Amino acid sequence: MRILLISDIHANLEALEACLKAAPAYDHVFNLGDIVGYGASPNEVTAISRGLGKVFVRGNHDKACTGVTGVQDFNATAATAALWTMHHLTPENLEWLRKLPAGPVLINQLSGAAGNDGASPATALAASISLATPVECVHGSPIDEDEYLLDLKDAVGSLVHQQALITFFGHSHIQGAFSGNGAEWMGLRPEYKADDDPETFVMGLRKDYRYLINPGSIGQPRDNDWRAAFALYDTEAGNITFHRVPYDIKTTQEKIREAKLPERLAIRLQFGR
């Protein structure tokens, strides 16, 4: 089974389209949250996301942009974008985003259940998913959906307490992984050679290790690489393939400016931070 891992699209339509075009064949899509916020195409990105699959967790921007939480903990730029998004989402998309489930969402081989009653198309898990190794999806961490896992020190507690051997997470906008087996712990960042071309990096998974894996941000990377990021989990091969792809960043920036969103949101895209 091949699972496409996407996260932190942040209403960046051009980056999402580039990733989907570049993605190899896949069976299912796991969306790790922050579908909206920051970018100027919230309805278009939400519509595409809704059609890609049924495995989702909510992000902190998804909550703030739909009124589930306030914007008091956001900086001025993020708060401005969240309020703009709230007023530009269609009622249908706003309600759909509002109902996204909190992580962790556990996906296992026994029931195919995703920790919900399946009543909502936003949270129902396809019954055909059956994994030999149970995995879970979160936005921030298995302990706190809004926690940032930025380094190994942050990650060890989550690796110890996670429900599954493999946890997929987002939120930090930094592509990579943390792993450990109780005796040793380590972090990994994909190594790339190019700046503007599509690239991949393959990471094998060891059976005796626990993993926290971040596919990176599609819409607003923060690892000094402007290219959109995603990943593919191949259960049969037992590996993760990290991807970076260029996209039409100028169009994305123009849309942000036309929407009169903060200029910083347009500028930061070209620097990947």
Side-chain angles (χ1 to χ4, degrees):
M1 186 179 297
R2 294 155 65 88
I3 299 169
L4 181 65
L5 305 169
I6 62 176
S7 190
D8 298 279
I9 306 168
H10 283 294
N12 186 333
L13 177 62
E14 291 70 36
L16 176 59
E17 290 179 333
C19 288
L20 294 178
K21 183 177 180 180
Y26 56 85
D27 300 298
H28 299 285
V29 178
F30 292 179
N31 189 317
L32 307 178
D34 275 357
I35 293 170
V36 296
Y38 294 137
S41 302
N43 286 304
E44 296 88 342
V45 165
T46 301
I48 292 174
S49 298
R50 292 175 65 174
L52 284 176
K54 296 182 180 295
V55 181
F56 299 86
V57 290
R58 67 187 185 183
N60 56 315
H61 284 261
D62 300 324
K63 293 187 291 182
C65 290
T66 58
V68 173
T69 59
V71 297
Q72 62 273 9
D73 293 329
F74 280 13
N75 61 45
T77 298
T80 298
L83 294 173
W84 179 93
T85 301
M86 185 183 298
H87 288 98
H88 284 79
L89 282 169
T90 66
E92 183 181 9
N93 282 335
L94 188 146
E95 187 63 19
W96 183 85
L97 288 163
R98 184 177 286 158
K99 291 181 178 179
L100 290 176
V105 167
L106 179 65
I107 302 159
N108 60 59
Q109 63 173 341
L110 299 176
S111 64
N116 60 76
D117 60 10
S120 167
T123 60
L125 177 65
S128 61
I129 295 180
S130 178
L131 299 178
T133 301
V135 303
E136 64 181 351
C137 296
V138 302
H139 182 63
S141 85
I143 299 172
D144 181 345
E145 65 176 333
D146 294 330
E147 179 184 10
Y148 284 96
L149 299 181
L150 299 172
D151 54 35
L152 186 57
K153 182 180 179 181
D154 298 330
V156 169
S158 290
L159 285 166
V160 170
H161 292 99
Q162 64 192 51
Q163 299 178 72
L165 290 177
I166 300 174
T167 299
F168 301 117
F169 75 103
H171 196 37
S172 70
H173 297 212
I174 299 174
Q175 189 179 61
F178 302 105
S179 65
N181 64 354
E184 62 176 344
W185 310 96
M186 63 191 74
L188 177 143
R189 294 276 295 276
E191 297 179 2
Y192 299 114
K193 298 179 181 180
D195 295 320
D196 299 313
D197 298 320
E199 280 190 278
T200 60
F201 180 90
V202 180
M203 179 184 77
L205 301 176
R206 297 173 61 174
K207 293 182 179 179
D208 57 338
Y209 275 65
R210 290 174 172 265
Y211 287 90
L212 283 160
I213 297 167
N214 190 329
S217 171
I218 286 181
Q220 196 188 86
R222 294 179 187 165
D223 51 8
N224 298 310
D225 187 335
W226 70 275
R227 296 171 297 178
F230 67 94
L232 188 84
Y233 171 39
D234 189 323
T235 63
E236 293 185 10
N239 62 35
I240 301 288
T241 302
F242 294 104
H243 290 255
R244 297 310 282 250
V245 296
Y247 68 96
D248 185 0
I249 192 172
K250 290 185 178 180
T251 294
T252 302
Q253 292 174 316
E254 289 171 3
K255 287 181 177 180
I256 289 172
R257 292 177 176 124
E258 289 172 1
K260 300 190 184 307
L261 286 163
E263 175 67 13
R264 181 169 181 264
L265 295 175
I267 294 174
R268 71 185 300 176
L269 293 176
Q270 67 198 66
F271 299 107
R273 60 175 183 265

